[in-house]
Amino acid sequence: MFLINCPYCGERDQQEFKAGGEAHIERPKQPTELSDDEWAEYLFMRKNIKGVQFERWNHAHGCRKWFNMVRDTSNDEIKAIYKMGEKPPTQ
Amino acid sequence: MTKNLRVKSSEYIDETNRISFKFNGKTYHGFKGDTLASALLANDVHLVGRSFKYHRPRGIMTSGSEEPSAIVQVNPGTNRTEPNVRATEVEIYEGLEASSQNCWPSVEFDIGGINNFLSPFFPAGFYYKTFMWPASFWEKYEFFIRHSAGLGKSPTSSDPDIYDHRNIHCDVLVVGAGISGIMAAKNAAKNNFKTLLVEEKNELGGSTIYENNEFNKIDNKAPSEWLKKEIEELKNIKNLEIKTRTSVAAYHQYNYLLARENLTDHLEAKDKTNKIRQRLLKIRAKKVILATGALERPLIFNNNDRPGIMLSSAIKKYSEFYGVACGSKNVFFTNNDSAYESAISLYNKGINVEAIIDIREQSESKIVKKVKEAGIKIYWSHSIVDTTGYKRLNSISIMKLSNDGTSVTGSKISISCDCLGVAGGWTPAVHLYTQSGSKLKFDEEKKVFLPNKDTSEQISVGSCGGDFKIDEIVKNLNQKLKDSLNIKETDLDNIKVEIDQENSKRNIWLLPSDKPLGKTKPFVDYQNDATAKDIKLALREGFRSIEHVKRYTTTGMGTDQGKLGNMHALGIIADTAGVKMGELGTTTFRPPYTPLTFGTIVGRNVGKFFDIFRRTPMNDWHVENKAEFENVGQWKRAWYYPINGETMHQAVQRESKAARESAGILDASTLGKIDIQGSDASEFLNRVYTNAWSKLAIGKCRYGLMLNEDGMVFDDGVTTRLGENHYIMTTTTGGAVNVLSKLEDYLQTEWPELDVYLTSVTDHYATASLCGPNSKKILKKIIPDLDLSDENFPHMSFKETKIGNIQCRIMRISFTGEHSYEINVQASYGKDLWEKCIEAGKEFNITPYGTETMHLLRAEKGFIIVGQDTDGTMTPIDLQMDWIVSKKKYDFIGKRSLYRSDTMREDRKQLVGLLTEDPNEVLEEGAQIVSELNQSPVEMLGHVTSSYFSPNLNKSIALAVVRGGKDMMGKKLFVPMENKNINVTVANPVFYDEKNERLNA
Ligand SMILES: [Zn+2]
């Protein structure tokens, strides 16, 4: 069970949070301009990395804020947490 | 003919407190402080169980939680019974009953024992190889296996005990209260760290607490004396919480540990009631100090599993701590000095020790000299080649061991004995360490896996960290504490330790016999009956990975997880495969370290607390009026209200008719309600719904459909504009939580520039839905001042008003197709509102109806229910709801997906109505639909999603999804059932009042 440092509330138990999949996939501003393939790329294709992964998390049973997390999926080490809209840390 | 083997009083046994208990139906006596194992041994009972596969008689091997063989059923036949309990961990109390498991009809005569004589036919993988083929025979095999095997019995009635969970946050958690754990906890707490010390036994002190060996001294005292004083001092230390009878089961990442605190298992039945039996401690520790000690290893030799063969350290503990002699003629078999300490312990208490068999050539330590002086015969360079005695050991045969340790020579010597202590060295208890994700390395010199790479804030101290001698333990513990806790001084700085312990050890994983391996039974896993022979067979058959060998031979797969024999299994694999132990890696230790009860895991979350449920403010009225309830998400919703013994069908037919003929009332409080405010609220709704919202006038309502980004229908509901920047959205009952989450997600991550605020107000309002041609008259009676004319209060509009003094919001909206009103009041007035409606409606025969009638009425109108008529693969176009999808809006969630080649296919499954040829035939929901009957295989065109007998149309109606259904209007199709084929015709899904005339009736 992770201990997650919510950027708004501080350290909380993992069971208060909900994982929201890969981060930094922006919804296209002009979907109608996209081909089926380009739209499918946005809609369906996600990475599943063994190693350092950028993820979205939500403090569902807390402040309900979404934020980003950098996590090593091989050992569950949380490397960084930052708010939505902030630049991802460079490795 | 039971003998009394209580040899000398022990301070841990209260001989004034005599306790009687039953084992296998027979009454025995022990004393307060005894475990079931020590009390049985004091009565000279060694045979306590049968092994899993061969049903070989098995005895007590250890004195702790690592016990593989002495597993018993506690309090059999009661609702407190528990299987697979280690006799070495059960503290006896007056009235305790226990019985052997895995034997039938009794432990003395076990029919499964025949497996032992058949054992040449039970090689490794036997079950996989035999019982898996032919598959149809499995049932026959299973009957035999289940009857003769199985580990214990689960209780058949509900558990009477209370269980609990507790969260603990501490600076330092110390696991294990041996000498290392006690000194670690003491120094942590003294340095102002909030410290928790947990110990699985009921006494502190570990093995040092009975360490009275004259050659070892701490500050010139016997180690036991010295440690007792230290323990006494713990009482005066602040910041320190001590929990005994508490076993850490799991060590997860981020220093999150689960421990079971045992509170009443050692008490008499009368003292157990109304107390918490076990508590699950959920511990978050900033630092973890593992002081879990080491487990003594057995030696692997032919027939090494007979009752009476025990760990040398266990014999010492039974003698020193419990004052019990495990035998009258004791022999030890060892590869190191520790058996000599056990021998001296017995000797000092006047217990007969016949001999020590040592596979080493010699040892020169003081303790060995003392044994020689005591006149105990030592056989150097000898090994045991066989043992005899079926239900109890009665002799061993030894032979001279060759220099390379792979064979035996010379003549066989037989030694008569009834107890054999084996000492194969020590295995650090690194189970919790590896559970945390930390990595081990193999120490070739010590032949042990040791902590290597810690993954969290943790240290391993004492023997679980690889220090076996007291001087090493104290020195290394001191340094580790200073480094880890960043402290300068400790109580350990000035301790003087004198010891006489030699590390000399001769390690042979599998000891040879004069017989070939195939004719011997050297057990590696005692509980699962895996022998060295089985492991070698697995390797011959091509298994290489440890995890595969383990599963194939079942080594380490028992309830004890092979705590005794795992290292030997690895050693034998390494030797046979010709690789180094370090290269093999180790098996993975998984939680729990010792088994947990289900009660502990679920804690208070049983019965009505198992899953939370929600009730509406009108719930009491529904109960008083005998409603049947159905679960909708977490809600308990009134389903139907049977009167005079009506069936569900009869009740629903009556309710449905009444709602259309006069008036009905539904508790709609469970609908999700989200308050939306902000200057961009209209724009936000434009983006999340498929239709347009900007032009909705204040005080008007509109139905909206919400899609997922993939274009599939996600939820629906009516949203009302309360003000310029203020809306109230309703969602489906089951969808409320997900809709709010999705809206929040888009607002926070995709459109943070929008000025919109969302608040869930589902629980804040109670809603009564009043419908039917007389609903207007009823509402008029309740609120005489409100102008209910169609001009002032038309369909799809909203009024904020008062019922007496109670503020209320009324929406004139309809899910039944009838003239109807949804009246919302603050939740606490819900029941009052409901009763007012019922009272006012009496003269119109107002009929309360439940969810089933609601479903029927909306089906007559062809209104969908998201989740019943849709399943995550239906677009609004598939639902023939093109009218609600705005063509003008540039974008909304899911819009682009409606133009994908796949979602634009004409032959997608589409929502249609179905009418049966026989109007009385009601289709089954979920039934498949085909267009051909005489074809095989035949394509399933779709399925029935909603089906009812309509009392208002007096015929059966159904909604269905059918491939290309839109263009099939009037086409005949078939619904094939088990015994018949039902003829149906595709119809318009709006069955009733197609022109919506009743809305303004
Ligand atoms: Zn938070």
Side-chain angles (χ1 to χ4, degrees):
Chain A
M1 202 81 83
F2 311 164
L3 196 57
I4 297 174
N5 193 6
C6 171
Y8 304 93
C9 308
E11 287 190 333
R12 294 289 190 279
D13 195 283
Q14 182 192 338
Q15 63 184 358
E16 294 184 14
F17 296 83
K18 184 173 84 177
E22 193 180 338
H24 303 299
I25 296 177
E26 204 179 330
R27 188 173 188 272
K29 289 273 183 293
Q30 297 173 314
T32 46
E33 314 290 309
L34 301 182
S35 68
D36 270 11
D37 282 351
E38 286 165 333
W39 180 246
E41 183 69 27
Y42 158 70
L43 198 54
F44 300 122
M45 306 312 278
R46 296 292 182 272
K47 294 191 198 103
N48 186 15
I49 298 165
K50 181 180 181 184
V52 176
Q53 182 160 287
F54 291 73
E55 301 174 332
R56 288 154 27 96
W57 283 75
N58 178 233
H59 195 184
H61 300 278
C63 63
R64 294 193 66 82
K65 287 283 197 181
W66 284 91
F67 57 88
N68 292 314
M69 178 191 290
V70 187
R71 180 173 68 104
D72 187 330
T73 60
S74 67
N75 60 10
D76 287 327
E77 187 193 342
I78 297 170
K79 296 191 172 289
I81 281 175
Y82 52 102
K83 292 179 182 175
M84 281 293 158
E86 287 180 354
K87 279 223 167 68
T90 46
Q91 280 172 283
Chain B
M1 54 144 264
T2 52
K3 282 188 275 186
N4 182 4
L5 292 176
R6 196 71 64 170
V7 281
K8 196 174 167 189
S9 58
S10 153
E11 61 187 289
Y12 299 101
I13 297 296
D14 179 4
E15 291 193 38
T16 64
N17 195 342
R18 195 160 175 267
I19 287 170
S20 63
F21 64 97
K22 276 187 182 172
F23 182 67
N24 286 334
K26 192 174 164 187
T27 301
Y28 297 92
H29 297 282
F31 299 114
K32 184 89 196 143
D34 266 325
T35 61
L36 179 60
S38 69
L40 286 172
L41 290 169
N43 286 283
D44 203 27
V45 175
H46 273 258
L47 172 63
V48 289
R50 294 273 179 163
S51 67
F52 186 64
K53 195 158 91 181
Y54 302 135
H55 290 241
R56 281 170 69 105
R58 290 281 161 80
I60 297 157
M61 297 198 68
T62 72
S63 59
S65 60
E66 71 271 34
E67 176 62 41
S69 297
I71 50 177
V72 298
Q73 181 97 27
V74 173
N75 296 319
T78 71
N79 53 2
R80 280 205 168 94
T81 193
E82 188 178 348
N84 302 332
V85 182
R86 294 151 298 283
T88 49
E89 289 195 301
V90 179
E91 295 173 47
I92 62 165
Y93 50 84
E94 192 64 39
L96 168 73
E97 288 193 35
S99 64
S100 302
Q101 347 185 115
N102 200 25
C103 53
W104 183 78
S106 79
V107 70
E108 294 284 336
F109 176 74
D110 176 16
I111 230 161
I114 196 109
N115 288 2
N116 187 31
F117 302 106
L118 295 175
S119 64
F121 306 108
F122 276 76
F126 176 75
Y127 287 81
Y128 295 123
K129 286 169 180 164
T130 311
F131 295 135
M132 290 302 143
W133 189 91
S136 61
F137 266 47
W138 171 247
E139 283 177 26
K140 293 190 178 70
Y141 294 134
E142 193 189 19
F143 177 81
F144 168 75
I145 293 170
R146 295 244 183 268
H147 257 263
S148 55
L151 290 168
K153 290 188 173 65
S154 52
T156 51
S157 50
S158 70
D159 190 334
D161 282 315
I162 307 165
Y163 300 83
D164 195 26
H165 286 182
R166 180 184 159 195
N167 288 296
I168 299 181
H169 297 262
C170 59
D171 295 324
V172 176
L173 168 70
V174 182
V175 185
I179 181 172
S180 311
I182 284 167
M183 296 314 289
K186 189 178 178 193
N187 283 291
K190 271 188 163 179
N191 283 280
N192 292 321
F193 292 95
K194 189 185 166 206
T195 304
L196 173 66
L197 171 64
V198 299
E199 164 58 45
E200 66 177 357
K201 300 203 164 60
N202 61 335
E203 292 284 345
L204 303 180
S207 60
T208 311
I209 206 68
Y210 51 89
E211 183 58 69
N212 301 314
N213 182 333
E214 64 196 86
F215 304 112
N216 297 339
K217 295 267 187 274
I218 304 177
D219 286 347
N220 295 318
K221 291 194 188 81
S224 59
E225 288 302 308
W226 178 83
L227 189 57
K228 270 171 213 162
K229 196 183 100 267
E230 294 292 319
I231 291 171
E232 194 56 34
E233 285 175 17
L234 292 181
K235 286 179 191 158
N236 305 320
I237 296 178
K238 284 178 193 158
N239 292 323
L240 176 63
E241 186 177 2
I242 301 173
K243 289 196 170 289
T244 56
R245 298 187 178 103
T246 300
S247 165
V248 174
Y251 187 164
H252 297 295
Q253 68 249 102
Y254 294 88
N255 276 355
Y256 180 64
L257 296 91
L258 299 175
R260 179 208 53 203
E261 184 182 16
N262 215 334
L263 298 160
T264 65
D265 277 359
H266 59 291
L267 301 177
E268 284 179 46
K270 68 178 169 61
D271 298 326
K272 288 187 207 281
T273 45
N274 296 325
K275 285 183 187 151
I276 292 164
R277 179 191 171 199
Q278 292 173 345
R279 183 182 278 135
L280 186 72
L281 307 178
K282 302 170 172 181
I283 307 166
R284 284 271 185 204
K286 294 204 177 93
K287 285 176 197 292
V288 173
I289 299 179
L290 294 172
T292 47
L295 304 175
E296 189 167 45
R297 287 180 197 169
L299 291 165
I300 310 300
F301 55 96
N302 185 22
N303 287 320
N304 59 341
D305 66 326
R306 300 191 188 283
I309 301 181
M310 307 174 67
L311 294 180
S312 155
S313 59
I315 292 176
K316 178 177 168 185
K317 178 160 187 184
Y318 286 117
S319 141
E320 295 280 354
F321 191 88
Y322 298 103
V324 170
C326 295
S328 331
K329 285 188 285 182
N330 296 283
V331 174
F332 288 92
F333 183 27
T334 188
N335 69 4
N336 70 92
D337 270 5
S338 57
Y340 293 81
E341 293 181 18
S342 301
I344 287 299
S345 162
L346 298 192
Y347 173 80
N348 286 343
K349 290 189 181 268
I351 306 168
N352 173 35
V353 178
E354 298 274 322
I356 295 181
I357 322 299
D358 197 325
I359 66 172
R360 297 176 299 178
E361 279 164 29
Q362 61 165 3
S363 172
E364 295 298 331
S365 57
K366 288 180 198 163
I367 191 94
V368 171
K369 281 194 188 113
K370 167 112 186 176
V371 165
K372 284 179 187 163
E373 285 162 20
I376 297 168
K377 170 92 176 136
I378 303 172
Y379 293 90
W380 297 107
S381 293
H382 272 70
S383 182
I384 297 179
V385 296
D386 203 357
T387 66
T388 65
Y390 186 56
K391 292 176 194 167
R392 177 73 183 267
L393 179 72
N394 62 34
S395 81
I396 58 169
S397 316
I398 65 170
M399 288 174 80
K400 182 107 175 128
L401 194 58
S402 67
N403 286 340
D404 64 0
T406 59
S407 59
V408 284
T409 56
S411 55
K412 214 186 274 190
I413 306 165
S414 179
I415 301 170
S416 164
C417 58
D418 61 0
C419 184
L420 173 70
V422 291
W426 298 86
T427 301
V430 291
H431 308 73
L432 293 176
Y433 178 80
T434 58
Q435 278 183 24
S436 75
S438 298
K439 297 283 178 263
L440 300 168
K441 71 160 189 285
F442 189 71
D443 183 318
E444 285 292 345
E445 190 200 316
K446 290 180 177 169
K447 300 284 178 200
V448 292
F449 281 102
L450 292 177
N452 186 33
K453 219 174 124 210
D454 306 344
T455 53
S456 52
E457 284 283 345
Q458 58 171 284
I459 49 172
S460 293
V461 301
S463 55
C464 75
D467 299 325
F468 299 116
K469 290 157 65 179
I470 293 178
D471 56 342
E472 286 173 2
I473 289 172
V474 169
K475 187 174 126 239
N476 291 334
L477 170 64
N478 197 13
Q479 196 54 50
K480 283 177 183 173
L481 280 178
K482 286 177 177 173
D483 294 345
S484 168
L485 302 179
N486 196 19
I487 52 179
K488 293 211 167 57
E489 293 174 355
T490 76
D491 290 359
L492 296 160
D493 285 335
N494 302 312
I495 288 177
K496 205 170 100 234
V497 181
E498 298 162 56
I499 61 142
D500 166 60
Q501 273 173 318
E502 280 210 13
N503 275 334
S504 105
K505 176 178 167 183
R506 184 182 186 190
N507 198 78
I508 302 174
W509 295 116
L510 171 61
L511 291 158
S513 169
D514 55 329
K515 291 183 201 148
L517 183 64
K519 300 251 188 260
T520 64
K521 285 224 174 61
F523 286 92
V524 175
D525 182 313
Y526 302 87
Q527 195 178 95
N528 275 345
D529 278 344
T531 66
K533 188 172 65 183
D534 295 325
I535 291 170
K536 292 205 171 199
L537 177 67
L539 291 165
R540 272 211 310 283
E541 292 186 359
F543 290 92
R544 285 295 173 271
S545 148
I546 299 232
E547 295 295 338
H548 291 162
V549 172
K550 186 174 147 179
R551 278 157 185 77
Y552 191 58
T553 61
T554 70
T555 306
M557 306 279 284
T559 58
D560 62 330
Q561 294 192 6
K563 291 188 180 77
L564 294 191
N566 266 340
M567 286 302 292
H568 305 83
L570 290 173
I572 292 166
I573 293 168
D575 285 353
T576 310
V579 296
K580 282 189 168 170
M581 291 273 285
E583 296 164 14
L584 268 180
T586 180
T587 58
T588 313
F589 299 108
R590 293 193 172 83
Y593 177 66
T594 50
L596 287 175
T597 58
F598 284 118
T600 312
I601 295 166
V602 297
R604 303 270 176 176
N605 303 321
V606 291
K608 64 178 177 180
F609 300 119
F610 177 68
D611 193 13
I612 61 164
F613 56 87
R614 303 162 83 183
R615 287 178 171 142
T616 74
M618 291 79 141
N619 185 75
D620 287 352
W621 192 94
H622 305 324
V623 172
E624 284 160 22
N625 288 274
K626 309 282 190 301
E628 292 292 328
F629 287 84
E630 92 169 316
N631 295 333
V632 182
Q634 291 166 333
W635 289 101
K636 298 277 176 202
R637 293 198 72 178
W639 193 10
Y640 58 98
Y641 300 80
I643 48 175
N644 301 329
E646 279 176 325
T647 63
M648 174 167 162
H649 177 76
Q650 290 165 337
V652 170
Q653 296 289 306
R654 172 182 52 78
E655 291 170 11
S656 301
K657 253 178 124 61
R660 293 220 190 276
E661 284 172 4
S662 178
I665 183 167
L666 170 82
D667 180 356
S669 307
T670 63
L671 285 182
K673 296 176 272 292
I674 301 170
D675 185 89
I676 302 174
Q677 300 192 41
S679 55
D680 293 317
S682 302
E683 170 61 16
F684 180 64
L685 291 175
N686 266 333
R687 296 187 192 187
V688 299
Y689 277 130
T690 60
N691 46 351
W693 289 79
S694 310
K695 288 183 189 140
L696 184 70
I698 292 168
K700 297 288 180 193
C701 314
R702 183 166 286 174
Y703 174 76
L705 201 58
M706 216 180 273
L707 309 185
N708 276 321
E709 203 68 273
D710 62 7
M712 305 305 159
V713 171
F714 170 63
D715 204 77
D716 66 349
V718 171
T719 291
T720 303
R721 189 167 197 171
L722 302 175
E724 176 63 27
N725 297 324
H726 191 187
Y727 292 83
I728 180 116
M729 171 189 280
T730 57
T731 73
T732 60
T733 296
V737 172
N738 291 337
V739 170
L740 181 70
S741 292
K742 185 188 168 96
L743 299 186
E744 284 178 328
D745 187 351
Y746 274 88
L747 259 187
Q748 289 180 33
T749 66
E750 299 293 351
W751 309 318
E753 72 281 3
L754 293 186
D755 175 43
V756 177
Y757 303 89
L758 306 173
T759 310
S760 166
V761 292
T762 303
D763 294 329
H764 300 51
Y765 292 97
T767 308
S769 177
L770 194 57
C771 90
N774 285 318
S775 58
K776 192 181 194 171
K777 292 176 198 156
I778 296 169
L779 188 61
K780 190 72 193 170
K781 281 177 75 180
I782 301 169
I783 317 173
D785 299 344
L786 187 62
D787 176 1
L788 296 178
S789 66
D790 286 346
E791 295 71 44
N792 183 57
F793 197 178
H795 181 58
M796 298 307 272
S797 67
F798 152 82
K799 293 288 175 210
E800 178 118 35
T801 179
K802 279 186 170 179
I803 302 176
N805 291 324
I806 306 167
Q807 201 71 26
C808 73
R809 289 173 173 174
I810 305 176
M811 282 86 168
R812 188 175 158 194
I813 53 179
S814 176
F815 192 41
T816 60
E818 296 298 318
H819 189 125
S820 59
Y821 301 93
E822 282 191 5
I823 311 165
N824 295 274
V825 293
Q826 194 182 308
S828 51
Y829 297 116
K831 193 173 171 226
D832 188 54
L833 165 70
W834 182 269
E835 284 166 346
K836 272 201 169 68
C837 292
I838 295 281
E839 184 59 35
K842 256 187 188 157
E843 59 176 297
F844 305 102
N845 185 31
I846 190 169
T847 301
Y849 66 90
T851 49
E852 193 62 23
T853 292
M854 173 186 84
H855 287 175
L856 190 158
L857 295 173
R858 65 84 209 181
E860 289 178 337
K861 286 294 295 173
F863 295 150
I864 59 155
I865 290 189
V866 174
Q868 175 159 345
D869 303 295
T870 72
D871 61 359
T873 66
M874 302 295 286
T875 69
I877 317 301
D878 297 337
L879 294 170
Q880 306 218 45
M881 291 173 77
D882 312 45
W883 54 271
I884 203 172
V885 180
S886 164
K887 303 275 185 302
K888 289 187 199 136
K889 282 200 291 181
Y890 180 71
D891 192 13
F892 55 82
I893 296 172
K895 173 165 179 163
R896 175 61 187 82
S897 290
L898 298 180
Y899 301 94
R900 292 177 60 232
S901 56
D902 185 59
T903 44
M904 292 207 296
R905 276 190 299 114
E906 289 295 318
D907 64 342
R908 289 175 62 83
K909 284 186 184 169
Q910 290 145 356
L911 187 84
V912 294
L914 286 186
L915 290 172
T916 49
E917 194 178 272
D918 172 359
N920 290 316
E921 180 84 67
V922 180
L923 296 170
E924 273 187 32
E925 289 175 358
Q928 297 291 314
I929 299 161
V930 300
S931 62
E932 286 289 337
L933 280 176
N934 303 318
Q935 205 176 312
S936 178
V938 63
E939 188 197 4
M940 300 294 170
L941 290 178
H943 66 275
V944 178
T945 59
S946 296
S947 173
Y948 304 91
F949 185 83
S950 160
N952 299 301
L953 297 160
N954 202 27
K955 65 179 179 185
S956 157
I957 56 166
L959 298 175
V961 292
V962 175
R963 186 179 296 282
K966 258 185 216 176
D967 297 328
M968 287 188 183
M969 218 45 63
K971 191 174 160 64
K972 292 208 179 314
L973 296 172
F974 308 98
V975 176
M977 299 301 291
E978 205 177 351
N979 306 315
K980 60 185 168 188
N981 295 307
I982 303 170
N983 298 339
V984 296
T985 309
V986 178
N988 182 344
V990 185
F991 300 101
Y992 189 76
D993 184 27
E994 207 178 324
K995 292 181 182 148
N996 292 327
E997 287 162 346
R998 301 186 64 85
L999 286 173
N1000 294 313

